[in-house]
Amino acid sequence: GENVEQHPSTLSVQEGDSAVIKCTYSDSASNYFPWYKQELGKRPQLIIDIRSNVGEKKDQRIAVTLNKTAKHFSLHITETQPEDSAVYFCAASIRGGATNKLIFGTGTLLAVQP
Amino acid sequence: SAVISQKPSRDICQRGTSLTIQCQVDSQVTMMFWYRQQPGQSLTLIATANQGSEATYESGFVIDKFPISRPNLTFSTLTVSNMSPEDSSIYLCSVTLGLGEQYFGPGTRLTVT
């Protein structure tokens, strides 16, 4: 079945450094790739997304890149801050009937050391 | 985005009982979903809640265990039936807006003793 692999599972960086999280998807029909940030005890929050007709998208300190040929997409966080510490999930859309459902990666625990 | 609420926020239940979780959205939405997130794990889709028809369940989830209602475009319920400790988890509803972005409710933390 369809799956999304996410790496690394944990990532520790110094404040101010960059962080990169990578995902690989299996369904070539996937066309929507969101990223979620989940702080401890909170709901997942959509932080950025990208669609298959775009190769890169930026929003302030975060950016997402997509390589459709390789079925890879990545989250880049620059100038990391302690408040960026959280679990990050990538996801890819899969078509289920009339609905594009999401399948999630396994998550990356990002720790930003002050 | 939309304002999504869930009730209850948490509950402790005894083995063998059932719990119904409510999800309310402040605007009409086409798609609503129910997910499970076990401790320290990722999100797993349980089912798509279809308005006016039976829910569509993912592999490994069945209607007898997780009956779902969707009476209108702003409300859905998920029931966890005949609970066992393995059902202890966070249950989240989500909705799609605009071009398909999914937003999550705050979750219901369920502990089964």
Side-chain angles (χ1 to χ4, degrees):
Chain A
E2 302 91 350
N3 74 300
V4 174
E5 294 185 0
Q6 182 172 347
H7 300 281
S9 57
T10 61
L11 180 59
S12 181
V13 299
Q14 291 295 125
E15 182 177 359
D17 287 351
S18 296
V20 180
I21 303 170
K22 298 181 179 182
C23 289
T24 304
Y25 60 98
S26 62
D27 184 1
S28 57
S30 295
N31 59 8
Y32 175 64
F33 307 91
W35 286 87
Y36 290 85
K37 174 184 180 182
Q38 188 174 33
E39 297 176 56
L40 190 63
K42 302 289 181 65
R43 75 185 81 187
Q45 284 186 297
L46 177 65
I47 56 172
I48 194 167
D49 57 14
I50 191 168
R51 299 183 188 274
S52 58
N53 59 345
V54 175
E56 183 175 2
K57 183 177 179 181
K58 288 184 181 180
D59 184 3
Q60 299 183 334
R61 295 188 296 109
I62 59 173
V64 58
T65 58
L66 172 65
N67 181 331
K68 286 190 297 182
T69 303
K71 297 183 190 173
H72 290 171
F73 58 113
S74 300
L75 178 71
H76 305 254
I77 305 174
T78 59
E79 300 173 26
T80 53
Q81 301 168 3
E83 50 265 39
D84 294 328
S85 297
V87 178
Y88 290 81
F89 292 100
C90 64
S93 64
I94 53 172
R95 182 164 290 278
T99 307
N100 272 348
K101 301 178 291 187
L102 294 179
I103 184 165
F104 283 80
T106 49
T108 297
L109 175 60
L110 173 64
V112 180
Q113 309 298 331
Chain B
S1 62
V3 176
I4 308 167
S5 59
Q6 283 185 236
K7 289 182 185 178
S9 58
R10 59 178 63 226
D11 207 340
I12 301 173
C13 301
Q14 290 198 340
R15 179 196 300 261
T17 63
S18 298
L19 176 72
T20 295
I21 302 167
Q22 299 179 6
C23 179
Q24 179 77 53
V25 191
D26 68 344
S27 58
Q28 293 186 341
V29 295
T30 305
M31 305 306 305
M32 294 181 79
F33 302 92
W34 286 98
Y35 287 83
R36 181 173 72 185
Q37 187 175 30
Q38 295 180 308
Q41 302 295 312
S42 185
L43 297 104
T44 301
L45 181 63
I46 298 171
T48 304
N50 301 310
Q51 194 267 327
S53 64
E54 201 168 275
T56 305
Y57 289 85
E58 297 302 306
S59 176
F61 298 95
V62 295
I63 188 171
D64 289 347
K65 176 67 175 178
F66 297 102
I68 288 170
S69 79
R70 177 93 190 270
N72 56 52
L73 294 176
T74 64
F75 185 78
S76 179
T77 67
L78 168 75
T79 298
V80 186
S81 303
N82 188 24
M83 289 184 284
S84 66
E86 293 72 36
D87 294 320
S88 297
S89 190
I90 298 172
Y91 292 86
L92 300 117
C93 65
S94 74
V95 304
T96 57
L97 299 175
L99 297 177
E101 303 86 10
Q102 251 187 66
Y103 295 92
F104 285 87
T108 296
R109 182 179 295 272
L110 171 62
T111 302
V112 184
T113 60

